Amino acid sequence: MSALLDYCTAGARVAERALVQRPRLGREERLVFVVGCPRSGTTFVGRAIGGLPDFVDFGEVTPWKAALPSGPSAEELRRILERIRRIGLAWGLRGVEQTPETAHVLDAALEAYPEALAVHVLRDGRDVVCSLLERGWLNAGAEGKDDARQPYGSEPRFWVEPERRQEFAQVSDARRCAWAWRRYVEAVRGAGAGDRLLEIRYESLAGVADELAAFLRANVTSTHRAMDGFRDSSIGRWRKELTPEQIADVEAEAGPLLTELGYTRSGDAS
């Protein structure tokens, strides 16, 4: 019963957004998956793309999100999203699914929709840690569950390496958040998406409209207008908010990846 309610709720949200766009006849297969670690800007980018002409923002589809920990096949993923599209009367629009956890099944998602594209929003892992600590989703002692009924707190998630699951629950909150960032980023960069994937940096979102429009084959003017809402006031917040101990924990877990991606390590900062 709860699963049926989740489908109906998600479909109703999509229908409300789709009606504004006036869906065309026929079936649109060029969906867009916006992926990245939570708190990296996926929500902003997903909404921006979903508001473009001929697109519709699906948001985070709860039945889709709930299925991801089990490693669903391409067929299973397509079945979930097609139900939402049918309920939401959105077959004629380019749907934008923005569940961050899709990072871990990106190959299957793109197999499910051979004409789909993916956009990876990448943000400095230390700023992500600040935001995740603030939200408290991975903090020890956190209570409650997310919209897909996955528990908050230090319990190992499906993306934690099997041999390190016990360790995950024992490390500091800062290191656990850095762990999440590393695993999400590694998952996307390890996928075989090729030229169907565009990686954009959170720190450069104010200047990516032309590149994004070209990649999506979307209206350039509308894309510029959609991206104009980005504000960069939180870039570099880690320098003020993380303690030396927290920075050390973050870099112990994700330092090599930060360096590989060109994010200056604390010891090298001027």
Side-chain angles (χ1 to χ4, degrees), residues 30-131:
R30 297 173 299 159
L31 276 64
V32 180
F33 298 102
V34 177
V35 296
C37 183
R39 310 308 298 167
S40 292
T42 54
T43 298
F44 171 80
V45 173
R47 288 175 178 172
I49 298 173
L52 298 176
D54 300 324
F55 290 77
V56 60
D57 175 23
F58 288 171
E60 295 186 23
V61 175
T62 302
W64 172 283
K65 185 175 182 177
L68 300 185
S70 64
S73 66
E75 181 180 359
E76 291 169 328
L77 289 175
R78 184 176 177 95
R79 184 163 56 245
I80 291 170
L81 217 49
E82 287 303 287
R83 287 173 182 166
I84 299 299
R85 296 176 78 195
R86 181 171 63 251
I87 296 171
L89 304 175
W91 272 329
L93 293 169
R94 297 181 66 181
V96 181
E97 214 294 326
Q98 53 160 285
T99 299
E101 287 81 5
T102 302
H104 301 283
V105 296
L106 185 56
D107 284 335
L110 292 177
E111 180 184 345
Y113 292 92
E115 296 181 43
L117 299 172
V119 176
H120 178 204
V121 190
L122 178 63
R123 185 182 185 186
D124 187 328
R126 294 157 297 190
D127 283 340
V128 171
V129 167
C130 289
S131 189

Side-chain angles (χ1 to χ4, degrees), residues 2-21:
S2 61
L4 177 59
L5 180 60
D6 287 341
Y7 273 104
C8 292
T9 301
R13 281 200 306 265
V14 171
E16 183 178 5
R17 297 162 183 163
L19 289 174
V20 176
Q21 293 279 32

Side-chain angles (χ1 to χ4, degrees), residues 41-260:
T42 54
T43 298
F44 171 80
V45 173
R47 288 175 178 172
I49 298 173
L52 298 176
D54 300 324
F55 290 77
V56 60
D57 175 23
F58 288 171
E60 295 186 23
V61 175
T62 302
W64 172 283
K65 185 175 182 177
L68 300 185
S70 64
S73 66
E75 181 180 359
E76 291 169 328
L77 289 175
R78 184 176 177 95
R79 184 163 56 245
I80 291 170
L81 217 49
E82 287 303 287
R83 287 173 182 166
I84 299 299
R85 296 176 78 195
R86 181 171 63 251
I87 296 171
L89 304 175
W91 272 329
L93 293 169
R94 297 181 66 181
V96 181
E97 214 294 326
Q98 53 160 285
T99 299
E101 287 81 5
T102 302
H104 301 283
V105 296
L106 185 56
D107 284 335
L110 292 177
E111 180 184 345
Y113 292 92
E115 296 181 43
L117 299 172
V119 176
H120 178 204
V121 190
L122 178 63
R123 185 182 185 186
D124 187 328
R126 294 157 297 190
D127 283 340
V128 171
V129 167
C130 289
S131 189
L132 287 173
L133 286 171
E134 185 176 60
R135 290 286 176 165
W137 296 329
L138 295 170
N139 294 357
E143 298 179 352
K145 298 181 179 181
D146 64 18
D147 57 334
R149 301 176 185 84
Q150 300 299 313
Y152 294 132
S154 60
E155 181 178 329
R157 306 303 199 272
F158 71 94
W159 40 259
V160 174
E161 300 91 329
E163 69 277 10
R164 298 186 65 190
R165 289 180 64 83
Q166 184 175 356
E167 180 187 354
F168 184 81
Q170 297 171 345
V171 299
S172 69
D173 291 343
R175 182 158 185 162
R176 196 176 300 112
C177 292
W179 197 324
W181 175 80
R182 177 181 60 79
R183 291 296 285 167
Y184 277 78
V185 173
E186 287 175 344
V188 179
R189 293 172 69 86
D195 59 6
R196 295 172 66 189
L197 173 69
L198 174 67
E199 183 175 276
I200 56 178
R201 301 275 179 132
Y202 179 90
E203 296 80 12
S204 304
L205 285 183
V208 301
D210 288 335
E211 182 182 15
L212 184 60
F215 177 71
L216 298 174
R217 296 186 179 180
N219 181 275
V220 177
T221 301
S222 297
T223 306
H224 272 275
R225 189 178 301 118
M227 299 303 290
D228 280 346
F230 175 70
R231 298 292 178 266
D232 62 1
S233 58
S234 65
I235 294 175
R237 61 183 291 193
W238 68 270
R239 297 183 185 278
K240 294 182 179 179
E241 297 183 18
L242 295 183
T243 67
E245 293 76 18
Q246 288 174 320
I247 294 173
D249 280 351
V250 170
E251 294 189 348
E253 184 61 46
L257 184 55
L258 286 166
T259 299
E260 178 185 339

